[in-house]
Amino acid sequence: MEHTEPHSTEPEMANRQGAAQRPNGAQGKICQFKLVLLGESAVGKSSLVLRFVKGQFHEYQESTIGAAFLTQTVCLDDTTVKFEIWDTAGQERYHSLAPMYYRGAQAAIVVYDITNQDTFGRAKTWVKELQRQASPTIVIALAGNKQDLANKRMVEYEEAQTYAEENGLLFMETSAKTALNVNDIFLAIAKKLPKYDQNQGQSGQGQGRRLAEGDQGAKTPGNCCK
Amino acid sequence: MSESSEGEDVRELFVQDGVLLFSATASFINFVKSVGTLMITEYVDNRRFVEWKPIDVTVDSDIQDQEWAVVNTVERRVRTLSGNVLPEHKNRSKYLRINFEEIKSFRISDKSRRLTFNDGKTEQICTYLFQHGNCEHLVGFLKTLVKTVPSRRDKHLFIILNMNDPERERIDKSFAELNVCNDSNYVWNIWNFQERPVVTTLEAFAKITDLVYRVPQHREMDDDVKEILNKSITEYQHTSTTLSNGEYEVIDCVSDLPNRRDFPRGRALCSEQWNGVQDQEGRIEDSECLKLIIFQGGIVPSLRQEVWKYLLDYYPWNSTHSDRQKLILQKSDEYFSMKLQWKTMTKTQEDNFTDYKERKTQIEKDVTRTDRTIDFYAGDNNPNLQVLNDILMTYVMYNFDLGYVQGMSDLLSPILHLMQSEVDAFWCFVGFMNQLSANFDADQVGMKEQLSNLHTLLAFIDPELATYLDNHDSGNMFFCFRWLLVWFKRELSEEDCMSFWEVMWTGFPCENFHLLVCCAILDQEKQSIIGNNYGFTEILKHINELSGQLNIEKILNDAQGIFYQIKESDRLTDVIRVLLGLPVLYNSSLDNHETSPFVISIETSNESSNHPPECSVDDVRISPEEIQFEKSISSNFI
Ligand SMILES: Nc1nc2c(ncn2[C@@H]2O[C@H](COP(=O)(O)OP(=O)(O)OP(=O)(O)O)[C@@H](O)[C@H]2O)c(=O)[nH]1
Ligand SMILES: [Mg+2]
């Protein structure tokens, strides 16, 4: 079952090939970021990625085994941001594999299901683990997914928001089904990430996976997108 | 892509006008949809580029959608120059230059009017449209400079075997060790020379690379290549002895295994054969012979439901009709009493039994998203989903320690579909899980072991590929995780999956045959992986995307071929014998397996091929904490 996107907050998506074609031809920067999705099984990690990358939703999205890797490119002001997205398997049994995927990630989306309190508890554990183990500069976003099922809500918006504020996380309630806030959460992350222009680097496009790291100069306000 | 610096001496080797820049990365966005001149150039330092320079005619952005527009101001011009050093290169800085080294592949489309260069990652570098005629002149010329092979998956895509590729360099370096056997059909044993022959022409390299990279079954060689090679040979010596003078690293990409033979699939086991092997009372006398038939050709679909019960240890092979009738009753009772155990669990009991509740929730989550595209499980409130759920729940009671782990519903689904009976499906599933339970260990030990065994086998069969993976963060073989966890369930259609599993269940021709199946697929994908210079992410993506693309007959054929190549190899080690369940000879100790004789490295102190490097991403800056952390991960994982 597929739902078309009913919704207005579309970022300027670059075309599939990732070549950012800008009408008025301003020279843009290109940044590439590694982003990992974590969270309890069946909270909708794969569904969020599928919505963001392909604009689709599958009611019966199959569970993830191992991990999946996808990319999406978005244009943000004068910058082309390419996300390298790692979608992981949620079940606790596969927890020991997660570090392989979040190592070196510049951003993470920790997902829970607003209709299931346990998944929120699990999300908090993920946040703690990331804060302890992942790159210290990692940008973490918390996504309360399945917002379309708000009538079955078990996690209050305020509760999650307070938690997010206390921990310095971006926070949004999302719905992979209706597309609510899906692009927005990725864009919000893109805005928060330090930008470093790959075209000016020696390495050329697509070389370094962790360009932003260790490059303190990149974090000066002049280099950041608003 | 880079902007050129000025004042370099440059030769234009090839020039074509009227080429429209159709797409490019952001820094050349100003020139997209502009027409210009495309050139192949060579600089004094021998670096070569594909360059494009715009002329001052820009296509109106209104007609961008028409892909390209004819601009009449440009004359058609195609010429090939040689030795023409241009005086003016003042403006080269504006050019869109792509170093040959950057181009990993190119794709020709739109009746040869469109040419796209790719960097071998997931991106394209740029696309050109040829307004006058097509790109064939250019591509033809390009092919004289670089060696290309068409992609197996996409006939319009050409993968460049780059001169500067490490593989290429090794081929260059190891050229000295190559020799041609007299048997023109099969070659490439490793030889060593004492003197390095001088090889001058690019073309010779190209041909050698071509041969080395070609899949084993089509190894044939033109006479002129033989000639080139023979000229270069001064003296040789077989490698499996040793390398005498430490000048060159032995090219380890050329396997010295025996020729791969073909094992076409046989006929599927049919009713006549099946009935023929049973005695009056229904015993199956020669189960090994039956398994061999199944191994070679599978089972006709109408017979599967019955034969699977034997293959999955539900029915004993030597049971009689009446034995089985008794067995069915007894197993049915046993099943329902276990089912009753969880069915009668109260809410309070559940709440006080966290482990149980976790398993139950996970089953519910997975059942609703298992194979819902197959009719048997499709639609809301499909009763078969309830059966799937009940079997998995009962399995939790049957084997609480293992419980339920994601992936198990995938294993059960085809079995239930085939059996159409809850009890039969349960007991067959039990048999399957007995074989695969290690895949679901809490600490992933079983999976790690298999992945590591897979690496060991691959390093034996195809050291080049194994080394490549090691050097690209993929020596842990993690990209094969899904293949192994659910035995290719996610990669194959239901029908193919059934055919595949039943072949695996026969236990022929050796233990761990599924790992050889992995090797067969990797062998098939080697060209794409190495040719595109894929790293950890690209490899995983590429492997995941094979889902739905695998030809199971070919893979089984190849895997069987590989098995005999290993078995008949004269450098077979005990480790490999043990892995494949072959008898270990001469009581030799298992300890000195690590360095197989064929991976010989001189000067370089290579790590043993069994130990993938922890991290080798060059262009990445890593903080000390991270290195520490990565170490802890790899020691946990590997
Ligand atoms: N109503 C609703 N259902 C959703 C939403 N997002 C996901 N789902 C459903 O939730 C189920 C699980 O979604 P997945 O995307 O597979 O979850 P996951 O987090 O990737 O799960 P694992 O791969 O097991 O870790 C699927 O049946 C989805 O259709 C949502 O926003 N709203
Ligand atoms: Mg998933």
Side-chain angles (χ1 to χ4, degrees):
Chain A
M1 214 176 296
E2 280 192 22
H3 300 251
T4 43
E5 202 150 326
H7 192 271
S8 59
T9 53
E10 295 248 325
E12 188 190 336
M13 290 289 176
N15 68 22
R16 273 282 143 71
Q17 277 71 43
Q21 299 187 11
R22 303 176 60 82
N24 44 16
Q27 283 231 342
K29 289 185 284 182
I30 299 177
C31 306
Q32 185 169 310
F33 295 111
K34 175 174 171 182
L35 179 148
V36 60
L37 279 107
L38 298 166
E40 176 67 86
S41 179
V43 294
K45 296 180 294 299
S46 303
S47 302
L48 285 170
V49 178
L50 189 68
R51 172 59 83 187
F52 177 58
V53 173
K54 297 197 177 142
Q56 297 173 353
F57 177 75
H58 299 301
E59 195 80 46
Y60 303 126
Q61 174 68 36
E62 56 186 13
S63 71
T64 305
I65 293 180
F69 175 75
L70 294 100
T71 57
Q72 175 63 299
T73 308
V74 297
C75 295
L76 188 73
D77 303 325
D78 66 336
T79 308
T80 302
V81 175
K82 182 180 166 198
F83 284 110
E84 295 192 315
I85 305 167
W86 283 97
D87 175 25
T88 62
Q91 199 188 355
E92 179 55 30
R93 189 66 61 107
Y94 299 118
H95 186 161
S96 63
L97 308 175
M100 274 214 301
Y101 300 111
Y102 64 66
R103 73 176 177 193
Q106 286 106 352
I109 303 182
V110 177
V111 187
Y112 68 94
D113 171 355
I114 65 158
T115 71
N116 184 330
Q117 183 72 42
D118 291 346
T119 65
F120 184 54
R122 187 83 188 88
K124 290 179 177 172
T125 321
W126 277 118
V127 170
K128 269 197 214 110
E129 176 165 341
L130 287 174
Q131 287 170 340
R132 210 174 50 239
Q133 312 249 54
S135 152
T137 56
I138 192 167
V139 173
I140 305 175
L142 181 69
N145 191 39
K146 308 201 185 177
Q147 193 278 342
D148 55 295
L149 303 177
N151 57 339
K152 296 190 200 155
R153 172 190 291 283
M154 299 298 286
V155 183
E156 290 308 323
Y157 184 89
E158 291 72 24
E159 184 189 355
Q161 195 179 33
T162 311
Y163 169 77
E165 273 168 19
E166 284 166 5
N167 286 275
L169 318 175
L170 286 165
F171 171 63
M172 284 186 201
E173 283 195 348
T174 58
S175 168
K177 186 164 176 170
T178 67
L180 175 82
N181 282 341
V182 176
N183 292 335
D184 309 55
I185 198 162
F186 282 92
L187 277 182
I189 292 168
K191 286 185 184 161
K192 238 186 133 176
L193 287 163
K195 306 297 187 299
Y196 168 76
D197 188 356
Q198 253 179 307
N199 284 331
Q200 287 160 16
Q202 280 285 73
S203 53
Q205 168 148 27
Q207 292 289 303
R209 280 197 232 130
R210 288 177 248 179
L211 285 165
E213 267 181 26
D215 194 288
Q216 296 303 315
K219 282 188 222 153
T220 58
N223 273 336
C224 287
C225 301
K226 295 145 278 183
Chain B
M1 215 175 310
S2 59
E3 291 183 0
S4 52
S5 52
E6 291 176 25
E8 293 170 273
D9 279 337
V10 54
R11 295 196 311 156
E12 292 183 350
L13 305 177
F14 181 91
V15 179
Q16 184 163 1
D17 289 333
V19 179
L20 183 139
L21 179 63
F22 183 70
S23 70
T25 45
S27 43
F28 284 91
I29 216 79
N30 284 338
F31 300 110
V32 164
K33 312 293 174 192
S34 307
V35 180
T37 306
L38 195 61
M39 293 163 280
I40 294 178
T41 54
E42 187 177 65
Y43 285 72
V44 274
D45 55 2
N46 289 330
R47 287 182 310 157
R48 293 198 177 120
F49 291 85
V50 174
E51 294 189 39
W52 177 89
K53 74 169 179 189
I55 56 162
D56 291 333
V57 180
T58 311
V59 180
D60 193 319
S61 58
D62 288 352
I63 48 170
Q64 274 189 10
D65 292 349
Q66 300 170 11
E67 293 199 342
W68 64 284
V70 179
V71 178
N72 288 319
T73 53
V74 191
E75 296 259 297
R76 179 175 178 170
R77 182 171 66 128
V78 177
R79 61 169 199 257
T80 308
L81 305 172
S82 56
N84 193 6
V85 179
L86 293 185
E88 31 75 64
H89 31 58
K90 291 278 181 291
N91 282 328
R92 295 199 98 82
S93 62
K94 284 210 197 101
Y95 296 7
L96 195 167
R97 292 206 312 181
I98 317 166
N99 192 327
F100 269 36
E101 286 171 27
E102 263 181 88
I103 307 171
K104 292 297 178 318
S105 63
F106 57 86
R107 190 170 191 281
I108 300 167
S109 54
D110 193 13
K111 302 195 187 77
S112 297
R113 287 192 311 178
R114 192 190 292 231
L115 176 64
T116 300
F117 291 103
N118 302 305
D119 67 5
K121 305 277 182 339
T122 40
E123 293 305 310
Q124 41 170 262
I125 305 173
C126 56
T127 298
Y128 295 105
L129 277 169
F130 288 71
Q131 299 197 53
H132 308 291
N134 57 42
C135 64
E136 276 160 13
H137 291 290
L138 180 102
V139 168
F141 188 75
L142 198 61
K143 284 182 175 170
T144 64
L145 302 179
V146 293
K147 185 61 194 169
T148 64
V149 286
S151 157
R152 229 178 267 254
R153 201 160 296 288
D154 173 357
K155 66 176 192 301
H156 303 294
L157 181 72
F158 295 85
I159 295 162
I160 293 181
L161 304 172
N162 200 313
M163 279 304 290
N164 297 308
D165 206 53
E167 290 315 320
R168 189 66 176 252
E169 243 170 68
R170 294 217 332 256
I171 289 164
D172 179 347
K173 254 175 93 181
S174 311
F175 186 76
E177 284 98 22
L178 286 175
N179 180 37
V180 191
C181 291
N182 291 332
D183 175 0
S184 67
N185 226 2
Y186 175 65
V187 252
W188 305 123
N189 280 319
I190 303 165
W191 308 85
N192 181 31
F193 294 103
Q194 293 187 331
E195 204 180 300
R196 189 178 188 189
V198 181
V199 179
T200 46
T201 66
L202 246 163
E203 211 187 346
F205 277 130
K207 283 179 175 159
I208 287 152
T209 323
D210 185 34
L211 284 162
V212 172
Y213 274 87
R214 251 193 258 170
V215 284
Q217 51 263 49
H218 330 256
R219 278 181 187 139
E220 252 163 27
M221 164 171 355
D222 321 339
D223 285 337
D224 55 335
V225 180
K226 273 191 212 161
E227 209 187 345
I228 293 162
L229 285 167
N230 284 326
K231 265 190 222 155
S232 322
I233 292 162
T234 48
E235 201 184 325
Y236 58 81
Q237 175 187 1
H238 201 280
T239 13
S240 56
T241 57
T242 39
L243 279 180
S244 45
N245 56 19
E247 202 181 344
Y248 305 111
E249 187 181 347
V250 168
I251 184 165
D252 56 8
C253 61
V254 184
S255 165
D256 64 346
L257 292 176
N259 229 346
R260 175 132 12 126
R261 282 186 278 143
D262 206 26
F263 293 88
R265 303 291 298 149
R267 295 255 300 277
L269 177 74
C270 63
S271 319
E272 295 84 67
Q273 287 168 306
W274 177 247
N275 296 330
V277 292
Q278 299 190 38
D279 70 10
Q280 294 256 303
E281 282 155 359
R283 284 190 204 86
I284 290 163
E285 286 170 340
D286 193 350
S287 63
E288 289 307 298
C289 165
L290 263 181
K291 285 186 196 167
L292 192 60
I293 295 171
I294 297 169
F295 170 69
Q296 283 163 349
I299 305 170
V300 296
S302 59
L303 208 58
R304 266 191 190 136
Q305 200 193 63
E306 186 167 3
V307 182
W308 276 27
K309 293 172 186 164
Y310 292 85
L311 286 173
L312 290 170
D313 288 333
Y314 175 27
Y315 293 170
W317 292 98
N318 61 2
S319 59
T320 63
H321 293 300
S322 69
D323 289 342
R324 291 197 288 274
Q325 271 164 7
K326 272 184 247 154
L327 183 79
I328 292 166
L329 290 177
Q330 177 211 327
K331 290 287 188 185
S332 180
D333 280 352
E334 196 179 337
Y335 175 78
F336 286 109
S337 66
M338 287 187 290
K339 186 172 175 181
L340 207 60
Q341 289 170 350
W342 63 267
K343 279 278 187 189
T344 56
M345 189 109 54
T346 65
K347 174 88 175 50
T348 324
Q349 272 182 300
E350 271 184 33
D351 288 345
N352 295 332
F353 194 174
T354 318
D355 283 354
Y356 169 82
K357 211 176 147 190
E358 260 172 22
R359 288 158 166 74
K360 185 180 172 201
T361 334
Q362 189 66 52
I363 290 173
E364 282 162 4
K365 285 175 181 173
D366 284 358
V367 161
T368 56
R369 44 188 185 147
T370 302
D371 285 336
R372 298 300 296 277
T373 51
I374 292 175
D375 284 348
F376 187 72
Y377 297 109
D380 297 332
N381 304 316
N382 184 323
N384 296 322
L385 295 177
Q386 187 61 49
V387 184
L388 200 64
N389 180 82
D390 290 0
I391 296 175
L392 292 168
M393 285 298 292
T394 307
Y395 189 78
V396 169
M397 302 316 285
Y398 175 80
N399 185 348
F400 193 83
D401 289 343
L402 189 57
Y404 174 78
V405 187
Q406 260 180 330
M408 288 189 191
S409 66
D410 279 278
L411 298 179
L412 173 59
S413 156
I415 295 179
L416 175 60
H417 186 187
L418 180 70
M419 292 297 155
Q420 309 267 330
S421 143
E422 187 172 340
V423 176
D424 292 345
F426 175 81
W427 290 108
C428 286
F429 178 65
V430 167
F432 197 6
M433 285 311 300
N434 285 342
Q435 298 185 33
L436 284 192
S437 59
N439 284 10
F440 301 99
D441 285 341
D443 46 9
Q444 305 293 321
V445 172
M447 287 300 294
K448 287 174 201 171
E449 188 180 312
Q450 286 189 68
L451 292 168
S452 132
N453 289 343
L454 174 57
H455 187 275
T456 307
L457 286 169
L458 190 70
F460 181 82
I461 299 160
D462 189 344
E464 181 199 21
L465 182 56
T467 308
Y468 179 89
L469 295 174
D470 290 348
N471 294 337
H472 291 78
D473 286 346
S474 300
N476 58 20
M477 305 304 284
F478 200 76
F479 52 90
C480 299
F481 188 88
R482 188 170 80 191
W483 291 0
L484 294 175
L485 186 85
V486 291
W487 272 23
F488 293 92
K489 167 68 170 43
R490 291 286 178 92
E491 327 302 319
L492 303 172
S493 68
E494 192 188 40
E495 170 62 30
D496 280 354
C497 184
M498 290 185 172
S499 318
F500 176 68
W501 285 357
E502 63 199 13
V503 169
M504 294 296 115
W505 291 330
T506 63
F508 279 103
C510 62
E511 285 172 26
N512 283 313
F513 184 58
H514 65 297
L515 299 181
L516 297 184
V517 169
C518 297
C519 292
I521 303 172
L522 293 176
D523 180 56
Q524 187 183 293
E525 298 307 319
K526 176 179 175 180
Q527 184 77 86
S528 310
I529 292 172
I530 298 183
N532 286 309
N533 196 26
Y534 284 153
F536 181 72
T537 46
E538 293 90 4
I539 294 173
L540 185 123
K541 187 162 189 262
H542 181 80
I543 296 295
N544 277 356
E545 284 169 357
L546 294 177
S547 177
Q549 315 260 356
L550 298 175
N551 175 345
I552 201 64
E553 302 230 322
K554 175 176 187 314
I555 288 159
L556 287 171
N557 180 338
D558 290 352
Q560 205 177 341
I562 290 174
F563 169 69
Y564 284 100
Q565 282 184 292
I566 297 176
K567 196 177 168 205
E568 289 156 13
S569 162
D570 48 15
R571 57 174 172 79
L572 188 54
T573 62
D574 281 350
V575 174
I576 303 290
R577 286 194 188 95
V578 168
L579 270 182
L580 300 183
L582 301 172
V584 175
L585 305 176
Y586 314 125
N587 297 327
S588 53
S589 140
L590 279 185
D591 297 333
N592 30 9
H593 64 84
E594 292 290 9
T595 40
S596 356
F598 61 99
V599 189
I600 304 166
S601 53
I602 298 154
E603 291 181 333
T604 53
S605 62
N606 270 2
E607 320 90 280
S608 153
S609 59
N610 288 339
H611 297 289
E614 281 157 10
C615 179
S616 62
V617 188
D618 300 329
D619 303 317
V620 172
R621 284 170 240 180
I622 308 169
S623 66
E625 311 90 82
E626 238 189 292
I627 292 172
Q628 193 50 45
F629 183 53
E630 294 209 10
K631 276 189 181 148
S632 74
I633 290 167
S634 46
S635 60
N636 282 343
F637 185 71
I638 302 296

